[in-house]
């Protein structure tokens, strides 16, 4: 069965520091995609970054990068130079299936950036 | 310019009532979804439609009935609402294999 695990329920980081949010996944399907979403206190779900299982390079989008370690089945999100506006819930998700598409989400990590 | 919109944003109703949530996307995507986020923030897929055809029904009680009149709209109708249905319901859309774009969510409270 496909599963995403985020082991950090909450994290507190000082502004301007880098932060790594952990995500491990479990699937027997060789084709999958990994996503990170941000959910601020206002409630919307904001797409941050995507990594495909066959991608050779780690994905980067501005201050966000995805540390993809396929053998370890981990897909950690790294946020560089954190800002107060980064305080939010962060969800790791995996897309499974070639035909029917769905996202399986982890439990989320609440990130708080301290000034 | 809203990409995925949902109405209403808040819905407060009594147990036993029937209610609907509407979703529209203007991104031209073929696939639309309904997710439920519970009080612990856990998100779970409920349904997925591709070009108006149901392709995922994730063991949701049949009190929940999605309807897709066209590929830009996916509505969710809930019959005989129960206390446990209280949650935030998100609509989303995507192209195949790409990221899913989420609507703002509908917070349903059943009293």
């Amino acid at each position: 069965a496909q599963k995403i695990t985020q082991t950090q329920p909450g994290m507190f980081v000082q502004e301007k520091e880098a932060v790594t949010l952990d995500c491990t996944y479990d699937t027997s399907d060789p084709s999958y995609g990994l996503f990170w979403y941000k959910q601020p206190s206002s409630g919307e779900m904001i797409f941050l970054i995507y990594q495909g299982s066959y991608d050779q390079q780690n994905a980067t989008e501005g201050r966000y990068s995805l540390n993809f370690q396929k053998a370890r089945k981990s897909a950690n999100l790294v946020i560089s130079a954190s800002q107060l506006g980064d305080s939010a819930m962060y969800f790791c998700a995996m897309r499974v299936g070639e035909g029917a598409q769905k996202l399986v989400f982890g439990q989320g990590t609440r990130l708080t950036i301290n000034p | 310019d809203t990409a995925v919109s949902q109405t209403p944003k808040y819905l407060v109703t009594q147990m036993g009532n029937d209610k609907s949530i509407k979703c529209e996307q203007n991104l031209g995507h073929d696939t639309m979804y309904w997710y439920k986020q519970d009080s612990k923030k856990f998100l779970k897929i409920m349904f997925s439609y591709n070009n108006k055809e149901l392709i995922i029904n994730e063991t949701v009680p049949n009190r929940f009935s999605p309807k897709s009149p066209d590929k830009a709209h996916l509505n969710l109708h809930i019959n005989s609402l129960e206390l446990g249905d209280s949650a935030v319901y998100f609509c989303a859309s995507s192209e195949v294999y790409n990221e899913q774009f989420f609507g703002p969510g509908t917070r349903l409270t059943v009293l």
Side-chain angles (χ1 to χ4, degrees), chain A residues 31-50:
Chain A
S31 176
Y32 52 90
L34 296 156
F35 301 80
W36 278 90
Y37 283 85
K38 173 184 178 181
Q39 187 176 40
S41 57
S42 49
E44 71 271 29
M45 294 287 290
I46 302 167
F47 165 72
L48 295 178
I49 196 166
Y50 165 76

Side-chain angles (χ1 to χ4, degrees), chain A residues 38-102:
Chain A
K38 173 184 178 181
Q39 187 176 40
S41 57
S42 49
E44 71 271 29
M45 294 287 290
I46 302 167
F47 165 72
L48 295 178
I49 196 166
Y50 165 76
Q51 180 87 40
S53 59
Y54 296 118
D55 293 344
Q56 297 295 316
Q57 306 260 16
N58 284 347
T60 60
E61 287 285 350
R63 294 186 299 114
Y64 304 108
S65 59
L66 202 152
N67 185 358
F68 181 45
Q69 298 192 36
K70 199 167 181 177
R72 292 187 175 187
K73 294 192 172 180
S74 76
N76 298 340
L77 177 70
V78 180
I79 307 174
S80 62
S82 58
Q83 302 170 356
L84 295 178
D86 294 333
S87 294
M89 282 289 286
Y90 287 80
F91 292 95
C92 181
M94 177 168 59
R95 183 204 68 227
V96 295
E98 289 288 338
Q101 299 282 303
K102 67 177 182 182

Side-chain angles (χ1 to χ4, degrees), chain B residues 51-62:
Chain B
N51 269 321
K52 303 193 297 174
E53 183 185 342
L54 178 68
I55 52 172
I56 293 176
N57 181 342
E58 200 78 358
T59 60
V60 177
N62 55 16

Side-chain angles (χ1 to χ4, degrees), chain B residues 2-111:
Chain B
T2 307
V4 183
S5 59
Q6 291 179 231
T7 52
K9 190 160 171 62
Y10 300 96
L11 193 47
V12 181
T13 188
Q14 299 285 337
M15 260 193 330
N17 284 350
D18 303 338
K19 289 293 176 188
S20 291
I21 306 171
K22 294 187 175 182
C23 177
E24 177 181 1
Q25 56 98 0
N26 62 6
L27 297 167
H29 292 160
D30 288 335
T31 309
M32 295 184 74
Y33 313 81
W34 278 109
Y35 288 86
K36 179 180 180 180
Q37 186 174 41
D38 63 22
S39 57
K40 293 192 165 89
K41 298 287 191 180
F42 186 65
L43 274 147
K44 192 170 192 302
I45 183 84
M46 299 173 70
F47 302 102
S48 170
Y49 268 74
N50 184 267
N51 269 321
K52 303 193 297 174
E53 183 185 342
L54 178 68
I55 52 172
I56 293 176
N57 181 342
E58 200 78 358
T59 60
V60 177
N62 55 16
R63 298 183 295 104
F64 290 79
S65 51
K67 282 191 173 49
S68 181
D70 56 61
K71 75 172 196 177
H73 295 85
L74 179 61
N75 304 324
L76 183 65
H77 188 76
I78 317 169
N79 288 327
S80 304
L81 277 155
E82 300 177 357
L83 292 176
D85 297 332
S86 294
V88 179
Y89 292 84
F90 284 99
C91 177
S93 74
S94 74
E95 294 286 357
V96 179
Y97 302 130
N98 288 357
E99 67 270 23
Q100 295 183 15
F101 291 87
F102 283 75
T106 295
R107 181 175 293 278
L108 171 64
T109 304
V110 182
L111 304 173

